[in-house]
Amino acid sequence: QVQLVESGGGSVQAGGSLRLSCATSGYTYSRQCMGWFRQVPGKEREGVAAIDLGGRSTSYADSVKGRFTISQDNAKNTVYLQMNALKPEDTAMYYCAARSWNCVGWDADYLYSDWGQGTQVTVSS
């Protein structure tokens, strides 16, 4: 089983930046696709970005393209989400997730087997 721990959330003003980290431990060889999701109370969880750890291909939601960048550091077993030009609508709890196959259908949260506890991002106008 893979353990995921997110960090880096906080409060920023619109236009600011944050970098989220997702540190993984445990049976890390089972990871193939890592995703970032976000959720606002009362709404469904939304896929933000994903990275295929084998081919390093990346995918993004239309709402964050050009502003967010997902990346990996294999030496640290960590996946990052660099978030720039933040908007109030980016306010949410952000979760990282892992699964043991490729990133086809990356934004379907039910296809991920392992989840972190989440980190809160708040963007004020």
Side-chain angles (χ1 to χ4, degrees):
Q1 188 174 1
V2 176
Q3 290 80 45
L4 309 175
V5 178
E6 303 97 333
S7 61
S11 297
V12 295
Q13 290 190 329
S17 298
L18 284 173
R19 188 178 78 159
L20 305 183
S21 300
C22 177
T24 65
S25 60
Y27 189 52
T28 57
Y29 290 106
S30 67
R31 299 176 302 135
Q32 178 64 38
C33 180
M34 296 286 296
W36 283 98
F37 289 78
R38 64 188 181 187
Q39 189 169 26
V40 175
K43 293 189 176 182
E44 292 186 356
R45 193 155 46 189
E46 173 191 21
V48 176
I51 184 167
D52 186 309
L53 300 181
R56 300 201 176 193
S57 62
T58 57
S59 303
Y60 297 93
D62 288 343
S63 58
V64 306
K65 281 181 181 177
R67 300 188 299 122
F68 290 11
T69 302
I70 189 170
S71 62
Q72 63 182 94
D73 184 333
N74 287 338
K76 296 181 178 180
N77 288 327
T78 300
V79 172
Y80 302 98
L81 185 68
Q82 177 67 44
M83 305 186 296
N84 298 328
L86 282 161
K87 304 175 181 181
E89 51 264 43
D90 294 319
T91 295
M93 183 72 79
Y94 283 72
Y95 300 89
C96 69
R99 70 192 201 194
S100 59
W101 62 95
N102 62 41
C103 284
V104 173
W106 67 273
D107 57 347
D109 59 354
Y110 63 89
L111 293 178
Y112 290 79
S113 54
D114 300 290
W115 291 83
Q117 82 290 349
T119 185
Q120 178 68 37
V121 171
T122 302
V123 184
S124 58
S125 58

mmCIF file of all heavy atoms in Angstrom, residues 7 15 22 24-25 27-28 32 37 41-42 49 55 62 64 70 100 104 110 113-115:
data_model
loop_
_atom_site.group_PDB
_atom_site.id
_atom_site.type_symbol
_atom_site.label_atom_id
_atom_site.label_comp_id
_atom_site.label_asym_id
_atom_site.label_seq_id
_atom_site.Cartn_x
_atom_site.Cartn_y
_atom_site.Cartn_z
ATOM 1 N N SER A 7 1.272 18.582 1.427
ATOM 2 C CA SER A 7 1.663 19.766 2.189
ATOM 3 C C SER A 7 1.753 20.942 1.235
ATOM 4 O O SER A 7 1.721 20.764 0.012
ATOM 5 C CB SER A 7 3.002 19.544 2.906
ATOM 6 O OG SER A 7 4.027 19.293 1.970
ATOM 7 N N GLY A 15 -3.814 36.010 -7.770
ATOM 8 C CA GLY A 15 -2.609 36.309 -8.525
ATOM 9 C C GLY A 15 -1.356 35.708 -7.924
ATOM 10 O O GLY A 15 -0.302 35.696 -8.573
ATOM 11 N N CYS A 22 3.305 16.264 -2.615
ATOM 12 C CA CYS A 22 2.697 14.992 -2.242
ATOM 13 C C CYS A 22 3.831 13.990 -2.067
ATOM 14 O O CYS A 22 4.387 13.495 -3.054
ATOM 15 C CB CYS A 22 1.712 14.520 -3.286
ATOM 16 S SG CYS A 22 0.980 12.898 -2.928
ATOM 17 N N THR A 24 5.290 10.426 -1.062
ATOM 18 C CA THR A 24 4.777 9.064 -1.055
ATOM 19 C C THR A 24 5.737 8.130 -0.340
ATOM 20 O O THR A 24 6.957 8.330 -0.359
ATOM 21 C CB THR A 24 4.537 8.560 -2.477
ATOM 22 O OG1 THR A 24 5.801 8.469 -3.142
ATOM 23 C CG2 THR A 24 3.642 9.496 -3.253
ATOM 24 N N SER A 25 5.198 7.122 0.288
ATOM 25 C CA SER A 25 6.001 6.098 0.953
ATOM 26 C C SER A 25 5.252 4.782 0.861
ATOM 27 O O SER A 25 4.118 4.720 0.399
ATOM 28 C CB SER A 25 6.272 6.466 2.418
ATOM 29 O OG SER A 25 5.053 6.591 3.125
ATOM 30 N N TYR A 27 4.835 0.972 -0.673
ATOM 31 C CA TYR A 27 5.133 0.219 -1.894
ATOM 32 C C TYR A 27 5.027 1.147 -3.097
ATOM 33 O O TYR A 27 4.073 1.119 -3.862
ATOM 34 C CB TYR A 27 4.181 -0.956 -2.013
ATOM 35 C CG TYR A 27 4.543 -1.916 -3.119
ATOM 36 C CD1 TYR A 27 5.819 -2.452 -3.221
ATOM 37 C CD2 TYR A 27 3.600 -2.288 -4.065
ATOM 38 C CE1 TYR A 27 6.153 -3.323 -4.227
ATOM 39 C CE2 TYR A 27 3.917 -3.160 -5.082
ATOM 40 C CZ TYR A 27 5.197 -3.673 -5.158
ATOM 41 O OH TYR A 27 5.504 -4.551 -6.156
ATOM 42 N N THR A 28 6.031 2.008 -3.269
ATOM 43 C CA THR A 28 5.950 3.042 -4.288
ATOM 44 C C THR A 28 6.014 2.488 -5.703
ATOM 45 O O THR A 28 5.640 3.169 -6.649
ATOM 46 C CB THR A 28 7.054 4.071 -4.090
ATOM 47 O OG1 THR A 28 8.317 3.404 -4.117
ATOM 48 C CG2 THR A 28 6.904 4.791 -2.764
ATOM 49 N N GLN A 32 1.756 4.325 -10.777
ATOM 50 C CA GLN A 32 1.977 4.583 -12.195
ATOM 51 C C GLN A 32 1.448 5.946 -12.572
ATOM 52 O O GLN A 32 2.084 6.675 -13.309
ATOM 53 C CB GLN A 32 1.290 3.507 -13.045
ATOM 54 C CG GLN A 32 1.417 3.720 -14.549
ATOM 55 C CD GLN A 32 2.842 3.633 -15.039
ATOM 56 O OE1 GLN A 32 3.624 2.816 -14.568
ATOM 57 N NE2 GLN A 32 3.205 4.472 -15.990
ATOM 58 N N PHE A 37 -6.475 16.302 -7.153
ATOM 59 C CA PHE A 37 -7.892 16.594 -7.197
ATOM 60 C C PHE A 37 -8.194 17.710 -6.200
ATOM 61 O O PHE A 37 -7.404 17.973 -5.297
ATOM 62 C CB PHE A 37 -8.712 15.346 -6.827
ATOM 63 C CG PHE A 37 -8.682 14.277 -7.876
ATOM 64 C CD1 PHE A 37 -7.582 13.439 -8.011
ATOM 65 C CD2 PHE A 37 -9.751 14.095 -8.734
ATOM 66 C CE1 PHE A 37 -7.540 12.455 -8.987
ATOM 67 C CE2 PHE A 37 -9.733 13.106 -9.710
ATOM 68 C CZ PHE A 37 -8.620 12.298 -9.835
ATOM 69 N N PRO A 41 -16.746 22.079 -0.413
ATOM 70 C CA PRO A 41 -17.899 21.495 0.284
ATOM 71 C C PRO A 41 -19.174 21.631 -0.537
ATOM 72 O O PRO A 41 -19.474 22.697 -1.069
ATOM 73 C CB PRO A 41 -17.978 22.304 1.581
ATOM 74 C CG PRO A 41 -16.580 22.723 1.834
ATOM 75 C CD PRO A 41 -15.985 22.992 0.478
ATOM 76 N N GLY A 42 -19.884 20.519 -0.657
ATOM 77 C CA GLY A 42 -21.143 20.523 -1.384
ATOM 78 C C GLY A 42 -21.000 20.261 -2.867
ATOM 79 O O GLY A 42 -22.011 20.170 -3.580
ATOM 80 N N ALA A 49 -5.000 17.788 -12.206
ATOM 81 C CA ALA A 49 -3.855 17.447 -13.041
ATOM 82 C C ALA A 49 -3.412 16.033 -12.717
ATOM 83 O O ALA A 49 -3.730 15.498 -11.644
ATOM 84 C CB ALA A 49 -2.703 18.417 -12.814
ATOM 85 N N GLY A 55 6.036 7.581 -18.332
ATOM 86 C CA GLY A 55 6.314 8.389 -19.505
ATOM 87 C C GLY A 55 6.399 9.864 -19.233
ATOM 88 O O GLY A 55 6.774 10.644 -20.102
ATOM 89 N N ASP A 62 -9.106 21.960 -17.975
ATOM 90 C CA ASP A 62 -9.098 23.191 -18.757
ATOM 91 C C ASP A 62 -9.008 24.431 -17.867
ATOM 92 O O ASP A 62 -8.393 25.425 -18.238
ATOM 93 C CB ASP A 62 -10.365 23.274 -19.611
ATOM 94 C CG ASP A 62 -10.350 22.289 -20.768
ATOM 95 O OD1 ASP A 62 -9.263 21.776 -21.115
ATOM 96 O OD2 ASP A 62 -11.426 22.014 -21.324
ATOM 97 N N VAL A 64 -7.292 25.007 -15.323
ATOM 98 C CA VAL A 64 -5.979 25.308 -14.745
ATOM 99 C C VAL A 64 -4.853 25.300 -15.778
ATOM 100 O O VAL A 64 -3.704 25.611 -15.432
ATOM 101 C CB VAL A 64 -5.628 24.334 -13.604
ATOM 102 C CG1 VAL A 64 -6.729 24.309 -12.561
ATOM 103 C CG2 VAL A 64 -5.339 22.931 -14.131
ATOM 104 N N ILE A 70 2.224 20.192 -12.996
ATOM 105 C CA ILE A 70 2.490 19.015 -12.183
ATOM 106 C C ILE A 70 3.853 18.455 -12.567
ATOM 107 O O ILE A 70 4.228 18.450 -13.748
ATOM 108 C CB ILE A 70 1.374 17.957 -12.356
ATOM 109 C CG1 ILE A 70 1.535 16.825 -11.348
ATOM 110 C CG2 ILE A 70 1.307 17.439 -13.781
ATOM 111 C CD1 ILE A 70 0.348 15.868 -11.300
ATOM 112 N N SER A 100 -2.140 2.240 -9.866
ATOM 113 C CA SER A 100 -1.078 1.377 -10.384
ATOM 114 C C SER A 100 -1.160 1.151 -11.887
ATOM 115 O O SER A 100 -0.494 0.250 -12.392
ATOM 116 C CB SER A 100 -1.110 0.025 -9.658
ATOM 117 O OG SER A 100 -2.365 -0.588 -9.844
ATOM 118 N N VAL A 104 -4.827 7.065 -18.417
ATOM 119 C CA VAL A 104 -6.042 7.140 -19.231
ATOM 120 C C VAL A 104 -7.239 7.298 -18.291
ATOM 121 O O VAL A 104 -7.368 6.559 -17.326
ATOM 122 C CB VAL A 104 -6.192 5.877 -20.104
ATOM 123 C CG1 VAL A 104 -7.542 5.884 -20.816
ATOM 124 C CG2 VAL A 104 -5.057 5.777 -21.097
ATOM 125 N N TYR A 110 -12.722 7.708 -8.923
ATOM 126 C CA TYR A 110 -12.981 6.348 -8.463
ATOM 127 C C TYR A 110 -11.950 5.342 -8.975
ATOM 128 O O TYR A 110 -11.904 4.194 -8.519
ATOM 129 C CB TYR A 110 -14.394 5.908 -8.866
ATOM 130 C CG TYR A 110 -14.632 5.849 -10.350
ATOM 131 C CD1 TYR A 110 -14.370 4.686 -11.076
ATOM 132 C CD2 TYR A 110 -15.124 6.945 -11.035
ATOM 133 C CE1 TYR A 110 -14.594 4.632 -12.438
ATOM 134 C CE2 TYR A 110 -15.348 6.905 -12.399
ATOM 135 C CZ TYR A 110 -15.082 5.749 -13.099
ATOM 136 O OH TYR A 110 -15.300 5.698 -14.451
ATOM 137 N N SER A 113 -6.654 4.311 -6.125
ATOM 138 C CA SER A 113 -6.759 3.436 -4.965
ATOM 139 C C SER A 113 -6.215 4.059 -3.687
ATOM 140 O O SER A 113 -6.580 3.635 -2.590
ATOM 141 C CB SER A 113 -5.999 2.130 -5.238
ATOM 142 O OG SER A 113 -4.662 2.410 -5.621
ATOM 143 N N ASP A 114 -5.335 5.027 -3.799
ATOM 144 C CA ASP A 114 -4.689 5.597 -2.623
ATOM 145 C C ASP A 114 -4.860 7.122 -2.632
ATOM 146 O O ASP A 114 -4.653 7.749 -3.669
ATOM 147 C CB ASP A 114 -3.201 5.238 -2.585
ATOM 148 C CG ASP A 114 -2.993 3.732 -2.535
ATOM 149 O OD1 ASP A 114 -3.307 3.134 -1.494
ATOM 150 O OD2 ASP A 114 -2.543 3.169 -3.548
ATOM 151 N N TRP A 115 -5.144 7.663 -1.452
ATOM 152 C CA TRP A 115 -5.411 9.093 -1.317
ATOM 153 C C TRP A 115 -4.701 9.664 -0.099
ATOM 154 O O TRP A 115 -4.522 8.975 0.908
ATOM 155 C CB TRP A 115 -6.919 9.340 -1.144
ATOM 156 C CG TRP A 115 -7.697 9.049 -2.387
ATOM 157 C CD1 TRP A 115 -8.158 7.833 -2.820
ATOM 158 C CD2 TRP A 115 -8.091 9.996 -3.383
ATOM 159 N NE1 TRP A 115 -8.816 7.975 -4.008
ATOM 160 C CE2 TRP A 115 -8.795 9.284 -4.383
ATOM 161 C CE3 TRP A 115 -7.923 11.373 -3.534
ATOM 162 C CZ2 TRP A 115 -9.324 9.912 -5.517
ATOM 163 C CZ3 TRP A 115 -8.453 11.985 -4.645
ATOM 164 C CH2 TRP A 115 -9.144 11.269 -5.624
#
